[in-house]
Each structure stands twice: as structure tokens, then as C-alpha cells.
Amino acid sequence: MLVLNNKCNFTKNEFIDYQKELQEIAATADVILCPTAINISNFNLTNISLGAQDVSKFSKGAHTGEISASQLASYNVKYCIVGHSERRTSFHETENDINLKIKNLLENNIIPIVCLGETLLEKQENLTSEKLTNAAKKLKNNLTKEEVNKLIIAYEPLWAIGSGLIPNITELEQNLSILKQNFPHNKILYGGSIDTNNIKIFQESTLLDGYLLGGLSLNPTSLKKILKILKNN
Ligand code: PEP
């Protein structure tokens, strides 16, 4: 599974051109494209599934600027990223907000892709295991078992996002195994500075079900390369 997070990129025409290139991608893996919200209505690919980057914690009403889960569902959105570190940090999103968002998504049959990960400071202070365990606990406390089992979990160390830095395989497997213990029935993805050279390192993992790509999602040529590498392994 490959989740493409376009973040706040592509004007309308740029997105149309980008999609033309993605059209050629053979559906060799489950690929989910999460465009900027305004480009969702221009999505017209049949080889790729549609995702969103965020959703409102409100179900409808007087919440200027928000987009609800039912509105996303009405545009055939099937997946939605929740709790991305950029939303937690820049938009002060709390665990409670994330929980409300997950509930709204599930009520509308949209699969949440929930992002979790440690900061650089937490990693340096050997607090990663505690951070991931606590985050998993908080998430599960507020959801039923059935709800938990529907989530896709994305392990995204904050220090790896957009930085060019990646965990080594030992570190990766250690952290993924914490998530696997907490989410034994869920798909687990990794995201953070994946590129066409380092993807091989992640392929060594026995615990990963796929990848979340930010920067690389903007480059169809690199995407095609990644899909080729994944197909050949
Ligand atoms: C992300 O922000 O979810 C991400 C994976 O970004 P990048 O690939 O650019 O590090």
C-alpha cells in the first residue's frame, strides 16, 4: 500500500497535469492519493483510490472553513489521513480532536490513516517506546475494538518528515513492533523521507504493510520508479 500525501501543493491545472501522469501508473499496489482538499473534486483516476489529508471534528454546521466526513464521503473519498504531525504541531490538534475525527470518518465509511511518531527530543531521550505506547493507548481507549481494527496506522517519526533522515532498520523494527503489539490486526505503514534510494531499507522490514510518501508524491517519475522497485520485490 502506498499513500501519497500531496500536502498543500498543486494548483488546479498543475493537479490536472499531475493526474495525467499518474494515469499511466499500473495498479500494481494499492495506491491512495490524498490531494489538497480543493483538488478532491477534480480527482478522476480509476487506477488509484481517493483519500483526504484531514477532516473536520464536527459533523456539520456553523464551522467556517471546515470540511466534514459526510462531505468527503459524498466525493467518494475512501481514506483520510488523521493526526498528521503537521496538523498536531501547526494547528494544535489534540488527541481528543483526532478521536472525534476518527469517529466521524468511520461513521461515513472512510478509513482513517492515523499518524503516530516521536519527536527528535523524545528519540534522543530514549522516550520513543513510551511515546508510541501512550499514543496507542489513548487512541484505543476512546474507540471500540471494531473501530480500532478498521484503522491504518502510519508510523511517522517527526524528525524524519521532510528532513532526509530515516531510522535504521533495527530502530525501525523496534518501533514498529511496539505498534504491532498495540495494533495486531491493523495495516502498518512507514512515512518520513522515503526516496527511490532508501526504499530498499524499508523493504527489509518484516512488519510493514506499506509506505506514506510526502515530498516524493509530487514527482510522478520517482513514483513510477518506487512502484517498479516494489513490484520487483
Ligand atoms: C509526510 O509528511 O507524511 C511525509 C511522509 O513526508 P516526506 O515523505 O516528505 O518526509
Side-chain angles (χ1 to χ4, degrees):
M1 172 176 279
L2 212 52
V3 179
L4 311 179
N5 178 8
N6 283 172
K7 306 196 183 189
C8 186
N9 292 293
F10 295 140
T11 59
K12 180 180 176 186
N13 287 338
E14 285 167 352
F15 185 68
I16 289 168
D17 289 345
Y18 170 74
Q19 283 198 122
K20 278 184 197 149
E21 299 220 44
L22 291 198
Q23 238 159 20
E24 297 161 17
I25 288 178
T28 47
D30 271 351
V31 183
I32 300 163
L33 173 61
C34 305
T36 308
I38 200 160
N39 283 327
I40 283 176
S41 57
N42 294 318
F43 178 84
N44 65 5
L45 297 171
T46 51
N47 53 338
I48 288 178
S49 304
L50 179 59
Q53 297 175 16
D54 189 30
V55 66
S56 178
K57 64 179 171 180
F58 302 109
S59 55
K60 66 187 286 187
H63 308 291
T64 304
E66 291 289 275
I67 298 174
S68 72
S70 61
Q71 289 173 318
L72 291 179
S74 72
Y75 279 85
N76 289 320
V77 168
K78 304 289 183 217
Y79 299 85
C80 183
I81 297 171
V82 193
H84 190 281
S85 62
E86 287 156 10
R87 301 236 34 110
R88 293 180 195 248
T89 311
S90 310
F91 301 93
H92 313 293
E93 202 164 283
T94 65
E95 297 295 334
N96 189 44
D97 295 334
I98 291 165
N99 192 253
L100 291 169
K101 290 177 181 205
I102 291 173
K103 295 261 186 197
N104 283 337
L105 290 170
L106 291 175
E107 268 171 29
N108 286 280
N109 296 317
I110 298 174
I111 298 174
I113 302 169
V114 187
C115 301
L116 306 171
E118 78 283 4
T119 63
L120 182 59
L121 191 64
E122 286 161 342
K123 169 180 153 68
Q124 286 166 340
E125 296 187 348
N126 289 322
L127 294 172
T128 302
S129 159
E130 198 179 320
K131 168 73 179 278
L132 296 179
T133 309
N134 285 342
K137 226 184 244 168
K138 275 189 200 153
L139 201 65
K140 290 200 295 183
N141 262 348
N142 295 309
L143 300 174
T144 65
K145 267 195 189 132
E146 290 70 32
E147 287 173 330
V148 169
N149 289 346
K150 287 181 184 160
L151 307 177
I152 294 174
I153 304 295
Y155 171 52
E156 295 214 309
L158 272 67
W159 52 270
I161 294 177
S163 64
L165 302 172
I166 55 165
N168 64 43
I169 186 73
T170 314
E171 201 180 352
L172 180 71
E173 291 292 80
Q174 253 169 20
N175 298 339
L176 290 174
S177 68
I178 297 168
L179 292 175
K180 202 71 201 166
Q181 276 161 29
N182 282 282
F183 300 101
H185 307 296
N186 302 67
K187 281 202 163 77
I188 301 194
L189 315 180
Y190 168 84
S193 291
I194 293 178
D195 63 32
T196 50
N197 295 318
N198 65 26
I199 185 86
K200 290 200 175 73
I201 295 170
F202 296 101
Q203 286 182 291
E204 286 174 37
S205 168
T206 51
L207 299 169
L208 275 181
D209 299 295
Y211 311 95
L212 205 155
L213 309 177
L216 200 107
S217 79
L218 306 175
N219 182 333
T221 310
S222 302
L223 277 179
K224 285 174 203 164
K225 263 190 206 160
I226 289 264
L227 279 164
K228 203 167 165 194
I229 295 169
L230 294 178
K231 193 183 162 198
N232 291 336
N233 280 277

